[in-house]
Amino acid sequence: MTTPLAAKIAREYGTPCAVVDMDKVERNLARIQAACDAASVANRPHIKTHKNPTLAKMQIAAGAKGITCQKLGEAEVMAEAGIDDILISYNLIGEEKMARLGALQAKANMTVAADNPVVIAGLPQAADISGRPLSVVVECDTGRKRAGVETPAEAIALARQIAASKGLRFAGFMLYPTETGWPEAQKFLDQALAGVREDGLDAAIVSTGGTPNLKNLGSLKGATEHRFGTYIYNDRMQVAAGVATWDDCALNIYSTVVSRATPERGILDAGSKTLTSDSGGLEGYGLILEHPEARIARFAEEHGFLDLSRSNTRPNVGDVVRIVPNHVCVVVNMMDEVVMVRGEEILGTLPVAARGKLR
């Protein structure tokens, strides 16, 4: 069954189409900001989910202290829009990136992360270009086995290198604890803080991250801020993590059923180029709100293959369905724009201004 709004979206924009419920967005912003305020932890949202300066400014207006970007290209888009307090949570290497970082630092208050001496050795070039000190946080691995130093001793050594480098300012530590690893993260942080304080250094920033870590917000003694990302839209992964409900999922993909070759299967016009192959560790590739027992089982580029064998209700060819993505961040990056709605009213489109910024 196609809802009246879905029919209108399909008529005016076609499918597949990313549709954002702005009432839900505003509720999500208010809910997370209230949680940060209650925990006395600043909110520094990660814009990788929405990639749009208008939404970033809405986050700041709701109380966020600044934003987080993963790549320089994202930060350039945000700074061009007038956003002034930006953390780049990624190792930046090379003269081309230092030139761009220096230009950014000249017009916005930048903080960057580093987890090795090579990255730190290159950052003074950016500080020199900008003509003012550059703040640097040490990224610490507290269980995810991604980027980050493995031991407090390494973190302390990098803090010393930053403090001794011309044009750099040691700003603190950046962590991304696992959802169950916060006691271990506390031990790591306590040792790292003690070490840098012995050297007369101060960690003004202790930044933690992850929307699934909402349940742990405020539990790390010494944390000053948290990097929420997915919360603005939410997705199937956040529902599975227990930090959002289906009604908190503000972005849906509207997709048309284009084939029903047998009673137990069908084809959507949303394939891997829309929903992406990132399963997020879940079964299937999204929840169809109108047919929750149906499974988006596999993809071709422009085909979403439906397994309807467990579905009590089955769509017809031509039906427009609404899909909650597994991982909304990667889905948004496939879009040039999203369509904004309130209730049954279409407000217009919003460009995904920082999409595809890989550098």
Side-chain angles (χ1 to χ4, degrees):
M1 179 181 176
T2 302
T3 67
L5 178 61
K8 189 176 181 182
I9 292 285
R11 201 164 50 243
E12 295 190 17
Y13 296 97
T15 62
C17 182
V19 179
V20 174
D21 185 321
M22 294 304 293
D23 288 329
K24 292 182 179 181
V25 164
E26 290 173 0
R27 290 201 304 268
N28 291 339
L29 298 187
R31 179 172 72 102
I32 294 303
Q33 189 60 51
C36 287
D37 293 344
S40 298
V41 175
N43 183 16
R44 183 183 289 279
H46 206 312
I47 62 86
K48 70 185 179 69
T49 300
H50 57 75
K51 301 180 186 293
N52 179 270
T54 298
L55 294 175
K57 288 179 179 180
M58 286 178 63
Q59 291 172 309
I60 293 168
K65 69 168 292 185
I67 63 169
T68 305
C69 297
Q70 196 77 339
K71 293 296 182 76
L72 267 170
E74 295 174 339
E76 287 165 340
V77 170
M78 297 297 150
E80 185 65 27
I83 294 173
D84 182 58
D85 188 343
I86 302 174
L87 165 66
I88 297 180
S89 54
Y90 200 86
N91 286 329
L92 300 175
I93 295 176
E95 291 189 8
E96 182 264 348
K97 288 184 173 60
M98 291 307 101
R100 291 164 61 199
L101 177 59
L104 267 177
Q105 167 77 352
K107 62 183 178 183
N109 292 308
M110 301 297 301
T111 303
V112 298
D115 77 348
N116 64 77
V118 173
V119 170
I120 294 168
L123 294 174
Q125 180 183 346
D128 184 59
I129 290 169
S130 72
R132 60 194 183 113
L134 175 65
S135 295
V136 185
V137 293
V138 175
E139 182 170 7
C140 305
D141 174 31
T142 50
R144 288 192 187 271
K145 303 304 175 187
R146 305 202 319 180
V149 295
E150 292 267 319
T151 67
E154 291 173 284
I156 295 163
L158 291 187
R160 290 171 179 157
Q161 182 185 353
I162 293 164
S165 298
K166 182 180 179 181
L168 303 187
R169 178 190 297 121
F170 170 68
F173 299 107
M174 186 180 82
L175 304 84
Y176 186 16
T178 66
E179 285 81 302
T180 58
W182 286 60
E184 292 76 16
Q186 187 71 68
K187 293 175 185 176
F188 189 115
L189 177 63
D190 289 346
Q191 292 180 46
L193 286 174
V196 297
R197 285 168 179 164
E198 286 180 6
D199 292 328
L201 301 175
D202 181 37
I205 297 172
V206 175
S207 182
T208 56
T211 298
N213 271 321
L214 171 61
K215 62 191 77 173
N216 295 308
L217 188 65
S219 66
L220 187 76
K221 183 181 178 182
T224 65
E225 65 179 37
H226 192 83
R227 307 179 312 279
F228 287 99
T230 314
Y231 82 103
I232 189 169
Y233 288 156
N234 287 306
D235 56 20
R236 198 170 165 222
M237 290 171 62
Q238 306 314 311
V239 174
V243 295
T245 68
W246 296 120
D247 195 49
D248 297 323
C249 294
L251 185 145
N252 295 161
I253 295 297
Y254 285 45
S255 177
T256 301
V257 179
V258 295
S259 176
R260 283 291 313 281
T262 74
E264 294 193 345
R265 64 184 176 91
I267 301 290
L268 296 173
D269 65 0
S272 64
K273 288 165 73 172
T274 300
L275 293 169
T276 84
S277 58
D278 187 346
S279 71
L282 303 172
E283 182 184 19
Y285 293 92
L287 177 87
I288 301 175
L289 292 171
E290 290 80 8
H291 306 281
E293 300 91 2
R295 189 162 65 100
I296 305 172
R298 58 191 179 90
F299 289 135
E301 289 182 67
E302 306 291 0
H303 295 71
F305 295 92
L306 292 176
D307 176 356
L308 303 172
S309 60
R310 294 180 296 183
S311 186
N312 295 321
T313 61
R314 300 181 181 186
N316 298 310
V317 172
D319 283 357
V320 179
V321 297
R322 299 167 298 159
I323 303 166
V324 178
N326 284 15
H327 187 184
V328 72
C329 307
V330 292
V331 169
V332 170
N333 194 52
M334 305 299 284
M335 307 294 161
D336 290 322
E337 63 183 17
V338 298
V339 176
M340 298 178 293
V341 301
R342 284 190 190 276
E344 297 299 307
E345 180 187 3
I346 298 174
L347 303 179
T349 61
L350 199 62
V352 184
R355 70 161 298 215
K357 300 296 185 182
L358 304 179
R359 296 185 290 111

